[in-house]
């Protein structure tokens, strides 16, 4: 997968916006690139492609029902019980997001079958497991905020051509900083998102990390040999 450092992208932004003085500072461009990376990562995840996923194992503390999530999460991709003691290798059981319209069936009274997310009075994001599990390992796969650019040598990686989305978005902000606009760049930016979505839709997914409905793929509607993502589970946090 192509790699670009921050300086390369900065130079492309300056070239697109035709700005080469210090009025548009390096730190500004880094901030705009960071913002566009968040937008692009969410666009990719919403279309079902899991490019960069992170893992958080829920600590079994307190009464075992509610937990505060760590900062830096942009979206929850899925929540799973992880089993390594069955003699079948590592297995995953997907929990369903709680719904009053289509509530998930209970798997076991001592095991969580569903989860919900909510914001408390302190502004923290919490996850609630139901039924309250008496034990086990519960794991969250999530989309993390991209690390902020802090140096020219910082690496940004996307499939070929997708980084242009970042460049165009940052160039529009650079032009706005100079109280200017460029209809061509704005049109290219508007077209970049749908083009990336179309490329994702055309991918040959096979056994790749793509969110899809695979209940029963391994002969069981409960356990599978890898975490099976579903678009309906994607939750902004």
């Amino acid at each position: 997968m192509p790699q670009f450092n921050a300086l390369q992208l900065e130079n492309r932004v300056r070239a697109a916006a035709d700005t080469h003085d210090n009025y548009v500072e390096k730190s500004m461009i880094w901030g705009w690139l960071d913002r566009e990376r968040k937008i692009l990562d969410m666009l990719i995840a919403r279309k079902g492609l899991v490019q960069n996923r992170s893992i958080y194992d829920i600590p079994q503390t307190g009464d075992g029902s509610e937990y505060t999530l760590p900062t830096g999460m942009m979206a929850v991709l899925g929540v799973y019980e992880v089993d390594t003691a069955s003699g079948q290798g590592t297995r995953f059981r997907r929990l369903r997001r709680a719904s009053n319209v289509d509530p998930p069936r209970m798997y076991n009274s001592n095991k969580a079958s569903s989860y919900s997310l909510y914001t408390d009075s302190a502004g923290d994001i919490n996850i609630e497991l139901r039924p309250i599990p008496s034990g086990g390992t519960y794991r969250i796969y999530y989309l993390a905020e991209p690390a902020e650019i802090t140096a020219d040598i910082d690496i940004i990686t996307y499939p070929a051509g997708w980084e242009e989305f970042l460049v165009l978005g940052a160039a529009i902000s650079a032009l706005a900083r100079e109280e200017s606009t460029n209809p061509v760049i704005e049109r290219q930016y508007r077209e970049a998102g749908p083009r990336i979505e179309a490329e994702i839709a055309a991918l040959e997914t096979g056994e790749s990390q793509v969110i899809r409905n695979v209940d029963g793929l391994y002969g069981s509607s409960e356990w599978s040999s890898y975490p099976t993502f579903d678009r309906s589970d994607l939750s902004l946090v």
Side-chain angles (χ1 to χ4, degrees), residues 38-73:
K38 292 178 182 179
I39 295 172
L40 179 56
D41 286 353
M42 281 303 307
L43 180 151
I44 293 170
R46 285 182 182 278
K47 292 304 294 183
L49 180 62
V50 183
Q51 179 168 289
N52 296 306
R53 66 182 185 184
S54 298
I55 294 173
Y56 175 71
D57 284 344
I58 300 173
Q60 296 287 306
T61 58
D63 68 1
S65 62
E66 300 178 15
Y67 306 92
T68 299
L69 299 182
T71 59
M73 289 186 177

Side-chain angles (χ1 to χ4, degrees), residues 29-191:
I29 294 179
W30 287 354
W32 297 328
L33 289 171
D34 286 338
R35 178 199 63 206
E36 295 301 323
R37 290 166 70 199
K38 292 178 182 179
I39 295 172
L40 179 56
D41 286 353
M42 281 303 307
L43 180 151
I44 293 170
R46 285 182 182 278
K47 292 304 294 183
L49 180 62
V50 183
Q51 179 168 289
N52 296 306
R53 66 182 185 184
S54 298
I55 294 173
Y56 175 71
D57 284 344
I58 300 173
Q60 296 287 306
T61 58
D63 68 1
S65 62
E66 300 178 15
Y67 306 92
T68 299
L69 299 182
T71 59
M73 289 186 177
M74 287 204 300
V76 169
L77 301 172
V79 182
Y80 308 84
E81 181 185 6
V82 182
D83 171 44
T84 58
S86 65
Q88 302 180 43
T90 302
R91 302 189 306 161
F92 300 85
R93 182 175 64 85
R94 172 177 158 246
L95 277 61
R96 269 55 172 181
R97 189 167 57 171
S99 169
N100 293 327
V101 177
D102 184 23
R105 67 179 184 274
M106 183 183 296
Y107 172 70
N108 183 304
S109 61
N110 296 318
K111 300 283 190 178
S113 298
S114 66
Y115 67 93
S116 57
L117 303 169
Y118 68 93
T119 304
D120 62 22
S121 58
D124 295 324
I125 305 297
N126 295 267
I127 186 168
E128 180 179 32
L129 303 179
R130 287 292 184 268
I132 298 174
S134 60
T137 299
Y138 290 86
R139 178 171 296 170
I140 300 175
Y141 284 85
Y142 67 94
L143 183 67
E145 293 183 359
E148 293 183 353
I149 297 172
T150 58
D152 286 339
I153 60 174
D154 286 353
I155 297 298
I156 294 91
T157 302
Y158 287 100
W162 293 10
E163 82 288 346
E164 185 68 7
F165 182 94
L166 315 181
V167 171
L168 293 169
I172 290 172
S173 294
L175 286 164
R177 167 72 174 168
E178 297 182 328
E179 300 182 352
S180 180
T181 60
N182 185 317
V184 174
I185 292 178
E186 292 172 356
R187 174 179 55 79
Q188 290 174 334
Y189 180 70
R190 290 194 302 269
E191 293 173 349

